Amino acid sequence: MRIGEYSQAFRPSRRHEFSIPTHKKNIATAPAADEGAVLAALGFSKPLIATLRERARRNGTTLETELLSDGQVSEEAYYGAVARLLRLPFLPELDPECVRDMPWQDSQLREPRQIRLEHASRSPEIAIVPEAAKLATLAGMLDAMPDLRSGMVVTGRRAVRQAVWAAGAKRRVRAVVSGLFDDSPGLSARIVISGRQGFWCGVVLFTLLAALAIIPSPTLLALHVTATFLYFALLLLRLGTFLLHFRLKAPKEEPAPDGPVPVYTVMVALYREAAVAEQLAGVLKRLDWPASKLDIKLVCEADDRETIEALKAQALGPQFEIVEVPDFGPRTKPKALSYALSGARGEFLAIYDAEDRPHPKQLREAYARFRNSPDEVACLQSPLIISNIEQSPISALFAMEYASHFRATLPVLANFRLPLPLGGTSNHFRTRILKAAGGWDPFNVTEDADLGMRLYRLGYRTETLKRQTLEDAPTGWRVWTGQRTRWYKGWLQTWLVMMRDPRRSAREMGLAAFMTFHMLIGGMLLSALIHPSIVLLVTSGIIHIFQAEEELSPLRLTLLAMDFMNIVGSYLVFLGLGYFPMIPHERQLIGRRWLVMPLYWLMVSYAAWRAVAELRSKPFFWNKTPHAPTAPARSG
């Protein structure tokens, strides 16, 4: 389309039929504050304007916002009509090459109003997004000063956002990749192990090897005693969580605040997810929130054209926006989310994964909780529930892990105001606090746990919600191992970040929370790493009792008894934490698949050791978990 042409794509829908008369209506005579008069001048019917007025009153928006968020009238058609009425050129798209990138222009991602276009062969222009409430004033000004028309064009909100995203892509992605490291290098996983940490690791390793070479038997015994008592401490922690879970009261339903709701941003990071594009679009459209107050950002890698085209084919409404992330720095989910964060318009922000099916009223519950909680509650975690329990033993045990973590452990931690290692999805944030905290660390492959700890260090808390999000677990060994390796590698990164300056971490968190962190993250890693050795020690001890002629010493008998109790007790507590929070239907689907738990725990240990190896060879590699559409029987 050439400059000076009006939109030829102006085609009102059957539902919202209107027409522009051939003579120019004098829009300047409409009351400046009366959007209804402006829309009437544009040809919209009185019944439609009355409907828009009621929706705007209920949602705390404008008639124009409600009209455009309905999706029945496109932005191109609407702003094309506005341009024709003002006798200004209309540009449905803006060339990013004509936009000079400046950091302050990121505000146009949140509230598009105007942007300067610089051309190589003619004078600059100002592309404006007229507001219906101010259209009469603008028309009067143009009639009084007609020379203004020569440097002004009309465009739409989406066109401005797309131009600003594209023009500032390189600057923005570089800032995201280096931002947290530049501002707070001690909180970033960009450096895997600091110089001091490397020194002490070397000292410990050298001392251990020297002791094994000089006094092997006493050294092995000391290691055995240390591992046994650490494992026992973790068993006590899990047992305490199990007992405390039954004493927790069910969370009360918070009363919904009166009046209009704020804008809520929903972000979904996608990579190679074309297969679930249709399911995702349908799920997000079912969220119980006014479309005019939804800001849904589908964050894709710029070179993942298959996923982008699959999303565009879903007839997404005006509340959806596809954000393309440039290929720079580590290709990780946290980098993608932090890139899109600069364009988040919502007072609150939720994160979902591509395969998620959140409860339609989850945003309502989170909003009510935020409004009834102090500002120190910066994050809310919804429970994740596995819906494909019956597909394999792996998915069944995975479901029990999720039930233990999200429906037992996290509520107990939140009740005692302790730090929560967040799940990677269904997190709800106060957007301003999330931005102030630096967003997600693009180099941490388990960004959720890292962010949960960082928020706690900054003085904020996380609580849990009741309404769930459904997910499908991996069903095969290869996919499960890749995902679990990434999780353990990220938890290792988080532990190393927290231990850059242990005194500072303990001071910021408090001693109880600091020790809880070590038991949760460090203990989980340690128990996974040493579990095979404990199993081996128990097996060899039992064989020795039945085959050896000499009796075991009291110390070794005690250690054998504790090792046996550690293994059996851990299995029983795991079953209790995972089984009892489930509903009867879930327990029925589990059946006897829990019998493979010993093998499952050895798989966990394998993934943990593989994570240690990957931390050295490819610390920022994101092992992508493939997803497929959910079977209809399990979708709800």
Side-chain angles (χ1 to χ4, degrees), residues 94 113-117 125-129 153-155 160:
L94 302 179
R113 284 291 172 245
Q114 65 179 35
I115 192 170
R116 179 183 172 90
L117 304 176
E125 294 175 312
I126 300 297
I128 63 170
V129 183
V153 297
V154 172
T155 190
V160 171

Side-chain angles (χ1 to χ4, degrees), residues 326-600:
D327 182 12
F328 179 83
R331 179 163 295 198
T332 61
K333 173 184 172 182
K335 185 201 77 175
L337 293 176
S338 290
Y339 180 83
L341 185 59
S342 58
R345 298 188 290 115
E347 180 181 350
F348 305 107
L349 183 148
I351 300 297
Y352 294 117
D353 282 343
E355 79 280 14
D356 286 354
R357 286 95 67 201
H359 192 291
K361 291 188 178 295
Q362 193 179 108
L363 300 189
R364 295 280 183 181
E365 182 188 4
Y367 170 58
R369 179 71 67 82
F370 276 129
R371 280 290 187 255
N372 290 285
S373 300
D375 284 348
E376 68 175 14
V377 178
C379 178
L380 299 171
Q381 173 70 63
S382 294
L384 304 182
I385 296 178
I386 298 302
S387 61
N388 63 334
I389 296 174
E390 76 287 353
Q391 286 195 333
S392 76
I394 289 179
S395 63
L397 271 295
F398 198 106
M400 295 186 71
E401 281 189 290
Y402 263 34
S404 169
H405 185 70
F406 290 102
R407 289 185 264 178
T409 304
L410 293 190
V412 168
L413 294 174
N415 183 69
F416 288 95
R417 301 190 170 208
L418 293 170
L420 271 65
L422 301 176
T425 176
S426 301
N427 316 133
H428 298 255
F429 300 95
R430 297 185 194 268
T431 307
R432 61 176 177 81
I433 294 177
L434 177 60
K435 290 182 177 180
W440 297 268
D441 183 354
F443 293 92
N444 193 310
V445 297
T446 312
E447 77 293 340
D448 38 20
D450 169 74
L451 181 58
M453 298 304 150
R454 192 178 344 133
L455 286 172
Y456 196 89
R457 293 178 67 175
L458 294 172
Y460 299 106
R461 290 193 296 113
T462 299
E463 293 184 351
T464 57
L465 296 174
K466 180 181 178 181
R467 290 190 169 92
Q468 79 285 348
T469 294
L470 299 181
E471 277 194 351
D472 282 355
T475 57
W477 155 262
R478 185 182 298 275
V479 174
W480 180 93
T481 302
Q483 184 188 67
R484 191 57 58 100
T485 299
R486 171 167 56 83
W487 288 3
Y488 275 113
K489 183 170 62 176
W491 289 329
L492 272 168
Q493 289 177 310
T494 301
W495 188 85
L496 288 168
V497 166
M498 292 285 288
M499 293 302 289
R500 296 272 169 81
D501 189 344
R503 292 182 180 179
R504 177 186 172 186
S505 298
R507 184 175 62 253
E508 291 174 342
M509 300 181 73
L511 184 59
F514 186 61
M515 296 306 296
T516 301
F517 157 75
H518 280 292
M519 297 295 284
L520 285 173
I521 302 297
M524 178 169 48
L525 290 166
L526 184 63
S527 64
L529 292 171
I530 68 176
H531 179 75
S533 63
I534 299 293
V535 173
L536 183 61
L537 288 169
V538 170
T539 304
S540 62
I542 293 175
I543 292 175
H544 183 86
I545 289 176
F546 285 100
Q547 292 185 351
E549 296 180 359
E550 59 184 53
E551 295 183 357
L552 290 175
S553 66
L555 175 59
R556 293 191 179 276
L557 271 175
T558 302
L559 289 175
L560 176 60
M562 289 189 65
D563 289 339
F564 184 79
M565 181 174 58
N566 282 339
I567 295 296
V568 176
S570 295
Y571 289 161
L572 293 176
V573 171
F574 173 82
L575 286 174
L577 279 173
Y579 198 73
F580 286 104
M582 289 182 164
I583 62 174
H585 177 64
E586 291 176 290
R587 298 171 190 167
Q588 183 180 5
L589 292 177
I590 291 287
R592 296 183 179 179
R593 293 183 177 91
W594 57 269
L595 291 172
V596 302
M597 183 172 48
L599 177 61
Y600 187 81

Side-chain angles (χ1 to χ4, degrees), residues 66-74 317-318:
E66 293 298 330
L67 173 69
L68 294 176
S69 66
D70 184 82
Q72 298 298 316
V73 174
S74 70

Side-chain angles (χ1 to χ4, degrees), residues 196-367:
R196 180 182 298 178
Q197 289 174 322
F199 170 77
W200 285 111
C201 285
V203 168
V204 171
L205 183 59
F206 175 79
T207 303
L208 180 60
L209 292 176
L212 286 171
I214 298 171
I215 46 173
S217 295
T219 302
L220 289 173
L221 180 60
L223 289 174
H224 186 179
V225 171
T226 302
T228 297
F229 277 90
L230 285 175
Y231 210 99
F232 183 67
L234 296 173
L235 173 60
L236 291 179
L237 176 66
R238 294 183 178 124
L239 180 60
T241 302
F242 174 71
L243 297 175
L244 288 170
H245 165 68
F246 291 102
R247 300 182 62 181
L248 290 182
K249 296 181 180 179
K252 296 180 180 179
E253 189 76 19
E254 298 285 353
D258 296 330
V261 298
V263 175
Y264 215 118
T265 294
V266 174
M267 295 206 305
V268 184
L270 303 101
Y271 182 54
R272 297 177 182 172
E273 299 285 11
V276 296
E278 182 179 0
Q279 173 181 287
L280 175 65
V283 164
L284 296 178
K285 288 176 183 178
R286 289 197 295 270
L287 290 175
D288 181 17
W289 203 261
S292 58
K293 292 296 187 74
L294 262 182
D295 171 34
I296 301 177
K297 288 183 164 35
L298 305 176
V299 190
C300 305
E301 297 294 330
D303 58 0
D304 185 12
R305 303 315 304 177
E306 183 181 6
T307 300
I308 292 172
E309 294 306 320
L311 291 171
K312 289 181 177 179
Q314 303 308 314
L316 302 174
Q319 69 270 35
F320 287 85
E321 180 181 15
I322 298 175
V323 179
E324 300 185 16
V325 183
D327 182 12
F328 179 83
R331 179 163 295 198
T332 61
K333 173 184 172 182
K335 185 201 77 175
L337 293 176
S338 290
Y339 180 83
L341 185 59
S342 58
R345 298 188 290 115
E347 180 181 350
F348 305 107
L349 183 148
I351 300 297
Y352 294 117
D353 282 343
E355 79 280 14
D356 286 354
R357 286 95 67 201
H359 192 291
K361 291 188 178 295
Q362 193 179 108
L363 300 189
R364 295 280 183 181
E365 182 188 4
Y367 170 58

